Amino acid sequence: MSEKKCLLQVDNLNVYYGSIHAIKGVSFQVNEGEIVTLIGANGAGKSTTLNTIAGLLKPKTGTVTFDGKVISGLPANRIVPLGMALCPEGRRIFQHMTVRENLEMGGYSRPGSEIDDSIEQVFQRFPRLKERRKQIAGTLSGGEQQMLAMSRALMSKPKLMMLDEPSMGLAPILVDQIFDIIKELHASGTTILLVEQNARKALQIADRAYVLETGSVTLSGTGAELASSEDVKKAYLGG
């Protein structure tokens, strides 16, 4: 069996907010074709890690290498065309634009001739968005807004999709639906880095996982290993 290619390598990342040391020497990797999840309590540094990888924050030290290229310190608009997309916490859709306009914004880094095809693919995957394509995005339900946020990220045809708290604030039935979509994206060849409060569901679908505590990686292993770890059960799974 051939060795999986490393798609994302994070080495000794240190990030500060002013004098606060938010991320402390974090290192991990995501191989092509994997779902990797970062779990941890609120304030552990999960979103900060994703935002730094995506170019929204600058690390003080450390390197981020994506698909063989060092990207740490590059601005977000230079990183997206390399094949990375972030679906941010809180969805952050363009509330006053239509569903279709939001999708068009997601494809800004691609040739205009490809955008209509990609929108069609999104509508095939999410028929509900097709029904609502002319609707103002801010009037969609929470679950529909999350589908739109994920679809907008997909419009850039990413090799790596980073999802920040995709199930936050959703009813349990919609959480199941969002996780089904993540599994489907993975099955169709997208590599996924997932940050998720619902540690139980995240570990069920993850190939590998890392636990972040106060800005440091304290545990790592396969999703199954961490799901059966007594420390993880006590801290994150209510076990």
Side-chain angles (χ1 to χ4, degrees), residues 93-99 102 132 135-142 144-145 148:
I93 56 169
F94 300 110
Q95 296 276 340
H96 302 294
M97 290 182 173
T98 65
V99 166
N102 266 271
R132 289 160 172 63
Q135 195 168 321
I136 297 298
T139 64
L140 298 174
S141 70
E144 288 163 351
Q145 288 190 21
L148 178 56

XYZ file of all heavy atoms in Angstrom, residues 93-99 102 132 135-142 144-145 148:
156
model
N -22.058 33.761 6.045
C -22.522 33.958 4.666
C -22.790 35.442 4.440
O -22.876 36.216 5.399
C -23.793 33.124 4.382
C -24.887 33.467 5.410
C -23.490 31.637 4.373
C -26.230 32.933 5.087
N -22.928 35.836 3.182
C -23.283 37.222 2.869
C -24.797 37.344 3.008
O -25.550 36.962 2.112
C -22.807 37.579 1.460
C -21.313 37.457 1.296
C -20.766 36.453 0.521
C -20.451 38.345 1.945
C -19.386 36.322 0.384
C -19.071 38.226 1.810
C -18.530 37.213 1.039
N -25.223 37.869 4.157
C -26.631 37.830 4.564
C -27.563 38.523 3.561
O -28.702 38.116 3.391
C -26.787 38.529 5.928
C -26.050 37.847 7.064
C -26.840 36.702 7.680
O -28.060 36.608 7.534
N -26.147 35.811 8.358
N -27.085 39.601 2.933
C -27.980 40.418 2.102
C -27.914 40.046 0.623
O -28.549 40.681 -0.210
C -27.668 41.908 2.302
C -27.790 42.319 3.735
N -29.002 42.309 4.396
C -26.860 42.705 4.653
C -28.814 42.687 5.654
N -27.519 42.915 5.826
N -27.124 39.019 0.304
C -27.051 38.540 -1.081
C -27.929 37.300 -1.224
O -28.259 36.640 -0.240
C -25.610 38.156 -1.439
C -24.666 39.324 -1.562
S -23.042 38.684 -2.048
C -22.166 40.198 -2.353
N -28.259 36.965 -2.464
C -29.027 35.744 -2.698
C -28.120 34.523 -2.524
O -26.894 34.634 -2.463
C -29.615 35.704 -4.120
O -28.518 35.635 -5.047
C -30.485 36.908 -4.408
N -28.761 33.361 -2.476
C -28.027 32.093 -2.401
C -27.054 31.987 -3.581
O -25.871 31.680 -3.408
C -29.026 30.910 -2.402
C -28.332 29.581 -2.672
C -29.765 30.864 -1.062
N -24.041 34.288 -3.279
C -23.075 33.761 -2.313
C -22.179 32.705 -2.955
O -20.962 32.703 -2.749
C -23.807 33.133 -1.118
C -23.986 34.085 0.046
O -23.143 34.196 0.927
N -25.117 34.787 0.044
N -34.013 27.509 -3.400
C -33.918 28.827 -2.757
C -32.855 29.716 -3.407
O -32.381 30.660 -2.797
C -33.602 28.645 -1.261
C -34.781 28.090 -0.481
C -34.344 27.474 0.836
N -35.448 27.099 1.709
C -36.373 26.192 1.437
N -36.368 25.572 0.267
N -37.327 25.902 2.298
N -33.362 33.339 -3.151
C -33.741 33.841 -1.822
C -32.559 34.571 -1.171
O -31.403 34.195 -1.372
C -34.156 32.646 -0.952
C -34.905 33.027 0.306
C -35.530 31.795 0.968
O -36.038 30.902 0.276
N -35.487 31.723 2.284
N -32.868 35.617 -0.387
C -31.827 36.332 0.361
C -31.287 35.385 1.441
O -32.057 34.803 2.217
C -32.399 37.633 0.990
C -32.871 38.588 -0.121
C -31.366 38.316 1.881
C -31.778 39.054 -1.074
N -29.959 35.234 1.478
C -29.342 34.192 2.315
C -29.668 34.349 3.797
O -29.826 33.364 4.516
C -27.831 34.203 2.097
N -29.802 35.598 4.251
C -30.089 35.825 5.671
C -31.443 35.319 6.113
O -31.693 35.192 7.315
N -32.324 35.011 5.163
C -33.665 34.516 5.517
C -33.732 32.982 5.540
O -34.781 32.417 5.832
C -34.738 35.045 4.526
O -34.456 34.501 3.218
C -34.727 36.556 4.455
N -32.617 32.313 5.241
C -32.593 30.845 5.280
C -32.574 30.357 6.726
O -32.159 31.084 7.633
C -31.329 30.309 4.586
C -31.117 30.613 3.103
C -29.744 30.122 2.665
C -32.198 29.966 2.246
N -32.968 29.103 6.931
C -32.867 28.498 8.271
C -31.392 28.263 8.599
O -30.526 28.297 7.710
C -33.609 27.158 8.296
O -32.882 26.210 7.513
N -31.109 27.988 9.861
C -29.724 27.738 10.290
C -29.065 26.604 9.516
O -27.913 26.707 9.084
N -29.899 25.464 6.534
C -29.704 25.862 5.130
C -28.521 26.820 4.998
O -27.752 26.738 4.041
C -30.982 26.517 4.604
C -32.113 25.530 4.391
C -33.478 26.201 4.261
O -33.602 27.417 4.490
O -34.441 25.480 3.941
N -28.356 27.713 5.990
C -27.213 28.631 5.959
C -25.894 27.859 6.058
O -24.907 28.204 5.406
C -27.310 29.655 7.094
C -28.398 30.690 6.863
C -28.346 31.837 7.862
O -27.325 32.093 8.484
N -29.464 32.533 8.011
N -25.193 26.339 2.779
C -24.729 27.367 1.853
C -23.261 27.720 2.132
O -22.459 27.867 1.201
C -25.610 28.618 1.970
C -25.207 29.808 1.087
C -25.154 29.413 -0.391
C -26.162 30.990 1.288
